[in-house]
Amino acid sequence: MRVNIGILGCGCVGSGVLKILKSKAETIRNRTGVEINVRRILYRSRRPAQELVPPGAALTQAYGDLLDDGEIDILVELIGGLSPAHEIVSAALGNGTSVVTANKAILAGYLPEYRRIAAESGANLEFEGAVAGSIPIMAAIKSSFVADDFSSAYGILNGTANYVLTRMSEGMPFSDALALAQKRGFAEADPAFDVSGRDAAQKLAILAMLIFNTGISGDLHAEGITDITADDLAYARDLGCTVKLIAKASLAGGRLGAGVYPALLPFSSALAHINNENNAVYLRSDNSGDALLFGKGAGELPTASAVISDVVRIALRLKSQSAKPPVSIFKQIPLIDPLELSSRFYIRYSVLDKVGILARIAGVLGNHNVSIAGVWQKNTVAGVVSLVMTTHSARVRDMFDSVRIIDSSNDLVRGKSLVLRIDDLEG
Ligand code: HSE
């Protein structure tokens, strides 16, 4: 069967889609029976290379040309960002045109609304490329674990941050590692989204909405990796750990705890060995227990591959005409305040090398119910000592409050302290 698509956006992922469609048209047809015909391509700043434009595909810079084209079966939205992507996707779904998107921002903000519009118009909506790159995590949730109730999702959802932390564990400074991730096409147009944890938080919101069938309004809690140094990776290694940017969503007592934070993971944990731009996610469910999905989390071709899988999935549904999308009734599970959760912690202070400093820090922590597990004095540069401390389990709020007090004492510390969680077990 032949399916007509319109592609909105020719950046990294859009070009990847065109490349795969050019080189793998026959593979796709042989394996699935679907012939993907590109009718129109919208580009914004950079016109796609002529050799990638399929014969017969019209190039345009006007969104309306795609929305008004009655022959397009599936709109592939790859422009990213909230606007105008949100308006375009809403309009297309409202018209009954099926949509494939890899846009995390609009899905994190509007997934329940899109599902409702699609259910009313009969359009299909798929977004495998939005979460965890090439890993078929949406397919697993929607087509494999269909009889399972999930209790948690836990893992690494940002390829850029994971790439940066991997390079830093080899001693490379943060800024050099980020520049390399950008050069390799992993980072967002604004890489602050990656390293602040916000990109992973959007992906976690999408994942959590799907597995728990709940709406999530507002941004999930996100802590990033910008204050971590290559020294911290070395100190973590001395403790038998590495550092990963973790995304976690889990149900507890009828409420949902969800957030993104950098954490020390022991080398005995599988996630400690997920390196470079790879992502990995544990899904925990009642029937199946733990499943670990692993693969490339970012990059032109891995993400484009996921996008094309969505196009084929919808094309086969359109062909069988069975297929109206599932009607999801989204609940509203209340969120747990992330500051009320507990964890063990790693703290790196830059303290003055003076008598009595440690006792004063210990006093502040003790006043906030934070119990120290270990202390190590690391490098000293110009009278400022890197002091590394680990704690027993403490409330996140108590930990942050005490470090805020310590950091505000000029006669105690020089510069901001770094607080990282220590995660012991996956899931
Ligand atoms: N910038 C994203 C990442 C791309 O690094 O994970 C994939 O969404």
Side-chain angles (χ1 to χ4, degrees):
M1 75 165 295
R2 188 176 156 101
V3 67
N4 288 330
I5 68 169
I7 299 178
L8 281 156
C10 257
C12 179
V13 182
S15 313
V17 168
L18 291 175
K19 281 182 193 166
I20 296 180
L21 290 180
K22 183 176 162 123
S23 63
K24 297 294 179 76
E26 201 178 324
T27 305
I28 297 168
R29 202 171 43 239
N30 289 345
R31 199 170 289 164
T32 68
V34 174
E35 185 189 336
I36 300 173
N37 176 48
V38 182
R39 263 182 75 82
R40 288 181 195 272
I41 301 170
L42 173 129
Y43 68 97
R44 293 202 290 185
S45 48
R46 236 186 21 215
R47 201 181 163 91
Q50 197 51 43
E51 74 267 14
L52 289 182
V53 179
L59 286 176
T60 178
Q61 289 193 290
Y63 299 107
D65 287 350
L66 280 83
L67 281 172
D68 298 340
D69 181 334
E71 298 294 309
I72 289 178
D73 302 304
I74 304 172
L75 205 63
V76 181
E77 186 278 302
L78 302 172
I79 47 181
L82 275 176
S83 191
H86 168 56
E87 292 77 10
I88 293 169
V89 167
S90 303
L93 291 174
N95 287 339
T97 304
S98 293
V99 172
V100 169
T101 179
N103 185 328
K104 300 150 275 191
I106 60 169
L107 291 164
Y110 300 102
L111 178 58
E113 183 178 325
Y114 294 156
R115 279 281 182 96
R116 182 183 52 73
I117 300 173
E120 278 167 20
S121 72
N124 285 268
L125 170 68
E126 295 292 341
F127 43 89
E128 188 69 82
V131 179
S134 69
I135 304 176
I137 192 159
M138 297 300 150
I141 294 165
K142 292 197 272 189
S143 331
S144 299
F145 300 112
V146 290
D148 287 28
D149 283 322
F150 294 94
S151 53
S152 68
Y154 176 90
I156 296 169
L157 288 179
N158 184 270
T160 300
N162 204 42
Y163 185 87
V164 168
L165 290 170
T166 304
R167 294 288 81 80
M168 285 168 75
S169 71
E170 297 158 353
M172 188 181 279
F174 174 86
S175 50
D176 293 358
L178 181 57
L180 217 52
Q182 287 179 277
K183 197 167 148 207
R184 299 198 54 187
F186 304 144
E188 296 301 297
D190 176 1
F193 265 94
D194 297 291
V195 294
S196 64
R198 279 179 289 160
D199 175 82
Q202 289 179 339
K203 293 168 178 162
L204 184 68
I206 298 166
L207 200 53
M209 284 193 265
L210 272 193
I211 65 174
F212 301 126
N213 223 30
T214 183
I216 293 179
S217 41
D219 297 338
L220 290 179
H221 178 82
E223 293 163 36
I225 62 166
T226 44
D227 295 333
I228 298 173
T229 64
D231 282 346
D232 291 305
L233 271 298
Y235 302 156
R237 189 164 50 242
D238 294 344
L239 296 169
C241 295
T242 191
V243 180
K244 295 291 177 191
L245 184 66
I246 295 296
K248 180 175 187 179
S250 61
L251 289 180
R255 293 189 303 155
L256 173 62
V260 172
Y261 54 87
L264 271 71
L265 299 183
F267 285 115
S268 56
S269 126
L271 289 189
H273 302 279
I274 306 298
N275 288 323
N276 299 317
E277 75 275 26
N278 289 305
N279 284 187
V281 188
Y282 277 95
L283 292 175
R284 178 168 291 174
S285 63
D286 50 2
N287 297 323
S288 306
D290 282 352
L292 176 61
L293 292 94
F294 160 81
K296 296 260 178 261
E300 181 188 46
L301 296 182
T303 312
S305 169
V307 167
I308 291 172
S309 78
D310 279 343
V311 170
V312 169
R313 202 167 290 122
I314 294 180
L316 293 173
R317 274 195 219 132
L318 295 176
K319 179 184 169 197
S320 72
Q321 300 204 325
S322 57
K324 293 307 164 222
V327 180
S328 301
I329 309 297
F330 281 93
K331 299 171 286 197
Q332 285 295 334
I333 303 178
L335 288 179
I336 300 172
D337 178 352
L339 298 181
E340 297 307 316
L341 296 169
S342 293
S343 173
R344 293 169 58 212
F345 288 96
Y346 160 104
I347 314 147
R348 189 245 307 140
Y349 308 95
S350 300
V351 298
L352 299 174
D353 201 359
K354 287 199 315 198
V355 174
I357 296 280
L358 189 55
R360 285 179 57 196
I361 290 179
V364 177
L365 295 176
N367 288 340
H368 288 82
N369 272 325
V370 179
S371 159
I372 297 168
V375 182
W376 296 266
Q377 184 161 330
K378 299 288 186 181
N379 300 342
T380 304
V381 180
V384 178
V385 181
S386 286
L387 189 71
V388 167
M389 190 177 271
T390 56
T391 74
H392 296 291
S393 185
R395 218 162 55 122
V396 176
R397 183 189 302 284
D398 293 334
M399 188 71 251
F400 284 152
D401 282 351
S402 45
V403 166
R404 202 170 302 119
I405 291 171
I406 292 164
D407 281 359
S408 65
S409 313
N410 286 339
D411 59 338
L412 211 54
V413 294
R414 283 280 175 276
K416 209 168 146 226
S417 306
L418 176 73
V419 179
L420 302 176
R421 289 167 186 69
I422 303 174
D423 271 8
D424 288 316
L425 294 169
E426 273 126 24

